[in-house]
Amino acid sequence: MLDIVRNLVSSIFGKILLAVMVLSFALWGVGDILTSGNSQLAAKVGKEKITLDEFYNEFQNTVKNYNQISQSNLSLKEAYNIQLHSVLLNDLIYSKMINNYAKNNEIFLSDQSLKIIITNLPQFKNDDGRFSEVKYKNYILNNFPNEQLFLNQVENTIYQGMLFENFNLNSFLNESLVDTLYNYEGEKRSISYFLLDDNDVSINISDELISEYYNENSENYIVNEKTIVDYIEINLENYKNLDIVNESQIINYYQDNIDQYSIEETRDIEFVRFDNEIDAQNFYNLYSSNDDEKILEFIKKKEININKINEFNGDSFPESLKESIFNLTLLEVSPPLKYEELGYYIFKINSVNNAQTAEIDEVKDEIKNYLASEDAYLEFDETINIADEMLINDYSFEDISESLQNININKSINLEDLLTKFDNENNVKFKDKPTGYISDIIMNQNKAFIFTIKEREKAYIPDLEQVLSKVTNDYESNEIYLKQNSIADKILIELQFKDFDNFQNYSKKKNFDLKTNENIGRDNIELTNNTVINIFELNADNVFKVELENGRVGIGYLNNIIKPKDYISDNFYQSVKNNIQTNYNNSIQSIIGNEIINNTSYEIYSQNIDKLFM
């Protein structure tokens, strides 16, 4: 094979390409269903045909695009030799499957309809908006061997749209569904709570009780099967040399990238939302007067929430609203400002954080480190390429280790510990590899890894003596948890149907530290899932049992239910809408795509294709 092809296939990019082709074979079943009939065809899909002219034209475009992306210079023959044409065949076959499926289900595109579509395409119109036959013919001449191939491509595109876009949720999404999920996901809870003190709980402990606990929970202490590996780490930091960066380079970089070291003005603000302009105006009058007593009375009467945003820079706000906020002076209160359909807002500026630019001395070390990293990357990349070449040529792990410079070699490591460094969802694929297996290069940011499997240690349950300390701690924690839950249940009965003042007085009397969280969402990770569910099932002014993920137990009081309309959240609303649309559309397209594939036969005429490149 030509040198350029060898270089491509030996690179990581080339491996990815080949992996894609193998995957596509598995998906579509192209495999060995290859025959030689119909001398002018590349393939036949149902009643649809892919001519050699159509295939060849598309293959030219495919190679051109591939060369641009990979910065290669493959000829058509070279691209054919590395099976790039197989990738194209998969795309063309699927496109024809869609056409065939549409026609089999009596979805037809008439010549007149096709003509109307083409004559309305903007690229074929003159300045006066009328269809230009000259532009149309020039486009065909420059991009296609003949007009029919262009018409085929347009037809394919239209059929895809007819089958898939008609089922696109964007076309008929019911806003009430979005509103329901928006109100569900965006709702918040304001709570106060106290936690029971572990030291206030006494527990019995003995060898007999610990042994009994171990026997009942021995499976919790199983030592999983271990896969022991050696690995090479190629780290960009190992190639970095700060001494090669001089003062002049630092100054030039700073001056060329001054925007990176400039911080725009931000403001710490607080705001209140109202449904109507009258309440907003009344509150504005009070807020401007600084009459704290009347302000508090108004807030309590109208059940108003004062929200705060620190370091506000205007992102996600309409330009007009942002401008109004940034025109306010320190401690100034804005008049009611209408924000789209969300209501009326009043803003107050608590502090102004002026724009500033970091001096060069403040960022000198950061720039020096960056420039040194840029230089180091060349050697880092070269080392990876050498390692990749050795892997392709079946060098042993020891040979690779001895040949590479500035690497870290780690021996007898648990594979599970190594996998935590990869940040890769497909790590499970490594767990069934045999002893002696050598991995490909695994990239993670500025590090690359190669590992070999040395041995496997079978799973086992250790004797109590081997895990005595952990079992003892687990026993004590479990006993504390059980007793605290029992105490919490009694406190709940005592505080049931009491108001917040009683709840607060109880916590003071018992010397509990009362905490407040005004922004509990359904995605809270501090509380257990059961606690979060319970909070969102309650009405305001109710007590409930609190359990934290770290095992702490306490009692909470639900102060307030905060609806999404009470805070600015149009971005969140749009994200909810986008998630609904995306999930639905992906599901529908997958169902339709599988239906098309499973109900369409095809045949590839490989000898006809081969003759094109002889």
Side-chain angles (χ1 to χ4, degrees):
M1 191 177 290
L2 296 175
D3 289 339
I4 189 169
V5 179
R6 275 202 304 271
N7 293 336
L8 175 69
V9 176
S10 66
S11 69
I12 293 176
F13 184 87
K15 288 181 176 179
I16 295 172
L17 170 66
L18 293 176
V20 169
M21 291 192 293
V22 170
L23 176 61
S24 64
F25 286 150
L27 290 173
W28 303 110
V30 171
D32 295 324
I33 310 178
L34 304 174
T35 60
S36 62
N38 292 319
S39 62
Q40 297 306 310
L41 296 182
K44 187 175 180 181
V45 183
K47 297 177 182 178
E48 297 291 306
K49 297 177 181 179
I50 302 174
T51 67
L52 288 177
D53 284 346
E54 183 178 0
F55 167 79
Y56 193 75
N57 183 69
E58 289 297 328
F59 188 61
Q60 287 177 308
N61 293 331
T62 299
V63 175
K64 179 182 177 181
N65 292 334
Y66 176 80
N67 282 336
Q68 289 176 345
I69 293 172
S70 63
Q71 297 182 335
S72 305
N73 191 29
L74 290 179
S75 67
L76 295 181
K77 179 65 180 296
E78 290 166 346
Y80 166 78
N81 286 339
I82 64 166
Q83 301 294 303
L84 193 58
H85 68 289
S86 297
V87 178
L88 171 62
L89 272 173
N90 283 282
D91 290 339
L92 291 177
I93 288 171
Y94 183 55
S95 179
K96 294 296 184 181
M97 282 181 172
I98 292 172
N99 289 17
N100 185 74
Y101 183 84
K103 293 173 183 177
N104 285 345
N105 286 274
E106 298 184 351
I107 302 174
F108 296 103
L109 181 65
S110 68
D111 291 343
Q112 184 62 27
S113 299
L114 189 59
K115 180 179 179 181
I116 292 172
I117 291 169
I118 291 173
T119 55
N120 279 283
L121 291 174
Q123 59 264 46
F124 300 144
K125 290 185 177 181
N126 287 321
D127 294 338
D128 59 5
R130 300 173 66 181
F131 176 72
S132 169
E133 189 172 348
V134 173
K135 284 189 174 183
Y136 173 71
K137 289 184 176 179
N138 283 339
Y139 179 82
I140 301 295
L141 185 63
N142 293 326
N143 294 280
F144 294 89
N146 56 64
E147 183 181 21
Q148 188 58 47
L149 289 183
F150 169 69
L151 296 176
N152 289 344
Q153 193 174 89
V154 173
E155 185 182 52
N156 293 342
T157 303
I158 294 171
Y159 276 127
Q160 289 187 44
M162 293 170 74
L163 283 177
F164 292 107
E165 292 180 14
N166 284 338
F167 295 96
N168 192 312
L169 189 62
N170 302 1
S171 305
F172 53 90
L173 177 60
N174 190 328
E175 292 296 330
S176 64
L177 173 61
V178 181
D179 291 340
T180 299
L181 289 175
Y182 167 72
N183 287 320
Y184 177 85
E185 294 290 343
E187 192 172 274
K188 305 288 184 183
R189 294 289 193 272
S190 171
I191 68 170
S192 297
Y193 66 97
F194 58 79
L195 299 173
L196 303 180
D197 193 337
D198 292 354
N199 296 324
D200 293 341
V201 178
S202 61
I203 60 172
N204 296 323
I205 186 168
S206 67
D207 291 345
E208 183 180 352
L209 289 172
I210 291 174
S211 178
E212 182 181 345
Y213 179 82
Y214 170 77
N215 291 332
E216 291 175 354
N217 300 278
S218 59
E219 289 188 0
N220 293 341
Y221 303 98
I222 189 170
V223 177
N224 294 323
E225 178 185 272
K226 282 186 181 180
T227 301
I228 306 302
V229 302
D230 292 344
Y231 74 89
I232 297 168
E233 179 183 323
I234 307 172
N235 192 331
L236 178 65
E237 293 294 319
N238 293 350
Y239 301 91
K240 191 185 298 182
N241 182 2
L242 296 175
D243 294 335
I244 66 173
V245 181
N246 58 48
E247 195 75 15
S248 176
Q249 290 174 296
I250 295 173
I251 293 172
N252 289 338
Y253 185 86
Y254 174 79
Q255 292 173 343
D256 292 341
N257 298 275
I258 192 67
D259 288 347
Q260 294 183 25
Y261 308 106
S262 300
I263 302 174
E264 63 180 352
E265 178 185 315
T266 63
R267 298 181 166 214
D268 297 341
I269 65 173
E270 60 184 48
F271 63 90
V272 184
R273 191 199 74 85
F274 295 91
D275 289 319
N276 62 81
E277 190 173 7
I278 294 175
D279 283 346
Q281 187 63 49
N282 290 337
F283 183 75
Y284 167 70
N285 295 334
L286 288 174
Y287 216 17
S288 302
S289 69
N290 292 319
D291 189 331
D292 291 341
E293 186 175 337
K294 289 185 177 180
I295 291 173
L296 289 174
E297 183 181 343
F298 190 89
I299 288 174
K300 188 173 183 180
K301 179 180 178 181
K302 297 292 184 177
E303 297 183 344
I304 294 169
N305 292 306
I306 297 181
N307 303 280
K308 295 184 179 181
I309 301 178
N310 292 329
E311 297 184 356
F312 169 78
N313 61 6
D315 286 354
S316 81
F317 279 54
E319 193 61 35
S320 59
L321 192 60
K322 174 183 174 182
E323 184 178 348
S324 298
I325 295 171
F326 274 82
N327 283 335
L328 297 173
T329 58
L330 182 62
L331 301 181
E332 184 179 358
V333 178
S334 74
L337 300 173
K338 193 171 190 308
Y339 183 45
E340 296 178 354
E341 303 302 321
L342 296 178
Y344 295 87
Y345 288 81
I346 293 173
F347 295 89
K348 181 180 179 181
I349 307 302
N350 292 329
S351 65
V352 176
N353 311 306
N354 294 324
Q356 53 184 305
T357 300
E359 298 293 334
I360 190 169
D361 287 340
E362 299 177 63
V363 295
K364 184 176 181 178
D365 291 341
E366 177 187 333
I367 294 174
K368 189 173 187 178
N369 185 67
Y370 173 77
L371 294 176
S373 296
E374 287 283 286
D375 288 331
Y377 191 83
L378 297 175
E379 189 175 353
F380 171 71
D381 188 53
E382 177 62 23
T383 303
I384 291 174
N385 288 333
I386 292 172
D388 191 40
E389 184 70 28
M390 296 184 77
L391 285 169
I392 290 170
N393 289 288
D394 293 328
Y395 279 74
S396 69
F397 182 84
E398 289 71 22
D399 289 338
I400 297 173
S401 302
E402 294 171 0
S403 300
L404 303 180
Q405 301 296 317
N406 295 327
I407 62 171
N408 302 320
I409 302 174
N410 301 270
K411 293 185 175 293
S412 299
I413 306 297
N414 187 350
L415 177 59
E416 293 291 339
D417 295 333
L418 175 60
L419 295 182
T420 62
K421 300 176 182 291
F422 293 169
D423 189 25
N424 190 325
E425 296 179 357
N426 297 318
N427 286 338
V428 66
K429 68 184 180 183
F430 296 129
K431 296 179 181 179
D432 296 325
K433 298 297 182 182
T435 301
Y437 167 81
I438 302 177
S439 73
D440 288 332
I441 294 176
I442 303 163
M443 298 295 302
N444 185 26
Q445 297 180 351
N446 292 327
K447 296 179 182 178
F449 301 87
I450 304 170
F451 71 87
T452 183
I453 296 178
K454 292 180 63 176
E455 59 178 314
R456 295 188 185 277
E457 297 178 358
K458 293 184 178 179
Y460 67 96
I461 297 176
D463 295 332
L464 174 59
E465 290 72 21
Q466 295 176 273
V467 288
L468 181 60
S469 176
K470 178 169 176 51
V471 174
T472 302
N473 289 335
D474 290 348
Y475 168 78
E476 292 177 349
S477 297
N478 185 63
E479 287 296 299
I480 291 172
Y481 172 77
L482 293 174
K483 293 201 172 186
Q484 284 188 341
N485 262 279
S486 177
I487 294 171
D489 289 337
K490 294 176 182 178
I491 296 175
L492 270 179
I493 294 173
E494 184 176 349
L495 293 177
Q496 198 73 35
F497 309 118
K498 302 289 180 63
D499 60 19
F500 182 71
D501 288 340
N502 280 285
F503 177 81
Q504 195 172 32
N505 291 334
Y506 180 89
S507 66
K508 287 181 180 179
K509 181 180 177 181
K510 298 293 184 179
N511 293 319
F512 290 129
D513 180 21
L514 193 62
K515 304 175 185 293
T516 299
N517 190 328
E518 298 181 348
N519 196 36
I520 297 289
R522 297 179 191 273
D523 57 351
N524 185 278
I525 59 174
E526 182 183 6
L527 304 172
T528 64
N529 187 52
N530 285 337
T531 300
V532 173
I533 291 173
N534 189 24
I535 289 173
F536 278 87
E537 289 177 345
L538 291 174
N539 294 320
D541 302 315
N542 273 290
V543 290
F544 57 92
K545 184 160 61 177
V546 172
E547 291 186 24
L548 302 187
E549 284 292 349
N550 62 10
R552 298 288 300 277
V553 176
I555 301 295
Y557 188 93
L558 180 55
N559 298 318
N560 196 18
I561 297 173
I562 307 166
K563 299 294 184 180
K565 67 179 182 179
D566 292 330
Y567 56 92
I568 294 178
S569 54
D570 61 316
N571 283 349
F572 178 68
Y573 183 92
Q574 190 59 43
S575 71
V576 171
K577 186 174 182 178
N578 290 341
N579 285 338
I580 295 171
Q581 292 171 339
T582 300
N583 290 332
Y584 176 88
N585 292 339
N586 287 345
S587 298
I588 289 297
Q589 288 181 16
S590 177
I591 291 169
I592 296 173
N594 288 334
E595 172 71 13
I596 291 171
I597 294 167
N598 293 332
N599 288 278
T600 310
S601 61
Y602 62 92
E603 192 172 10
I604 298 174
Y605 303 112
S606 59
Q607 292 186 14
N608 299 343
I609 296 172
D610 294 341
K611 290 177 182 178
L612 294 174
F613 303 100
M614 288 182 176

